[in-house]
Amino acid sequence: MKNYIAILGLALLATFPASAASPFDGKLIALDAGHGGGETGAVGNCSGIAVIEADVNFYVRAELEKILDANHVAYFEVPRIDSRKDRVAAAEAAGSSVLISIHHNGSLNVTADYTQSFVTQRNDKIFAGYIHPAIASALKLRDKGIKNDGYGMTVYGSLPGVLTEAYFITNTEAACDFLKYRDNGATNTRVQKEAQAMYGGLYSYFSR
Ligand SMILES: [Zn+2]
């Protein structure tokens, strides 16, 4: 019996190695899906069907959350309240380690398309240095880089944060790509590439 227990113990050890340390241990990722509530953000169009930025932001967050769940990473969903300052306060009160504010760009020019991110504070720049390049290389659009602009939620609080504008949802191709994802269950769309890139950037940041 003793031997049996010892063997069982070894078998269990083999199956569940002493929990491999994850760079995410003790971390909480605050995820803000930009706009929502009364705000639509930018509005794109694919064959007469409107594509609302607030929806795209929401779906990218949901896709990232699936990846975080699969990797047992803790996250905090920032409530979609109107005040950006209050959104940041909620993320800080929850004990978040970093903040990603997910947005998508808009233009009257339906061919405009590039990747850009925004930061405000010193901590933001270090964090954005991991998130932005990951998104840019995944989407392979023109990379307009990280802009230090005192813009959006990165203005408030002291969490390392980045506001991402991965692409233009007013771009016709991007709007149609989103509908293929949302309505037809397409894989390998921009939404999925963006979420996967954000996860990769987070992994690198916490592994540094
Ligand atoms: Zn926005």
Side-chain angles (χ1 to χ4, degrees):
M1 188 65 181
K2 238 184 195 171
N3 280 345
Y4 173 75
I5 289 167
I7 289 164
L8 183 68
L10 281 174
L12 283 173
L13 275 176
T15 319
F16 304 104
S19 63
S22 157
F24 291 106
D25 284 347
K27 308 299 183 195
L28 182 68
I29 318 299
L31 299 175
D32 172 55
H35 309 289
E39 285 182 23
T40 59
V43 181
N45 184 302
C46 171
S47 306
I49 302 170
V51 171
I52 310 293
E53 185 204 339
D55 291 345
V56 179
N57 299 340
F58 180 86
Y59 276 96
V60 170
R61 176 170 74 175
E63 203 58 44
L64 177 53
E65 287 175 352
K66 276 192 231 167
I67 302 168
L68 295 174
D69 280 335
N71 289 281
H72 312 289
V73 180
Y75 54 84
F76 172 71
E77 275 186 357
V78 176
R80 290 185 114 178
I81 43 185
D82 287 343
S83 156
R84 288 173 172 76
K85 190 176 180 184
D86 290 348
R87 290 191 187 203
V88 175
E92 293 198 317
S96 304
S97 315
V98 292
L99 165 72
I100 301 180
S101 182
I102 305 166
H103 285 254
H104 293 82
N105 224 327
S107 168
L108 291 174
N109 173 0
V110 297
T111 64
D113 209 6
Y114 56 74
T115 301
Q116 190 164 34
S117 295
F118 294 86
V119 296
T120 305
Q121 304 174 66
R122 203 177 69 85
N123 284 341
D124 298 342
K125 291 170 196 165
I126 298 165
F127 180 53
Y130 288 85
I131 304 300
H132 175 84
I135 298 170
S137 70
L139 292 174
K140 299 182 175 67
L141 302 172
R142 189 152 64 94
D143 182 2
K144 287 259 274 184
I146 301 164
K147 199 168 179 192
N148 183 12
D149 211 18
Y151 178 63
M153 287 169 59
T154 62
V155 173
Y156 305 105
S158 57
L159 279 179
V162 61
L163 186 156
T164 59
E165 307 261 17
Y167 54 88
F168 280 65
I169 61 105
T170 46
N171 176 282
T172 305
E173 192 189 314
C176 293
D177 184 76
F178 175 72
L179 294 182
K180 274 184 221 154
Y181 161 81
R182 190 193 64 187
D183 301 341
N184 303 334
T187 54
N188 207 30
T189 65
R190 291 184 181 210
V191 169
Q192 291 136 332
K193 287 178 191 170
E194 181 183 348
Q196 190 63 51
M198 284 176 171
Y199 176 74
L202 284 165
Y203 191 96
S204 301
Y205 175 75
F206 287 115
S207 304
R208 78 198 191 283

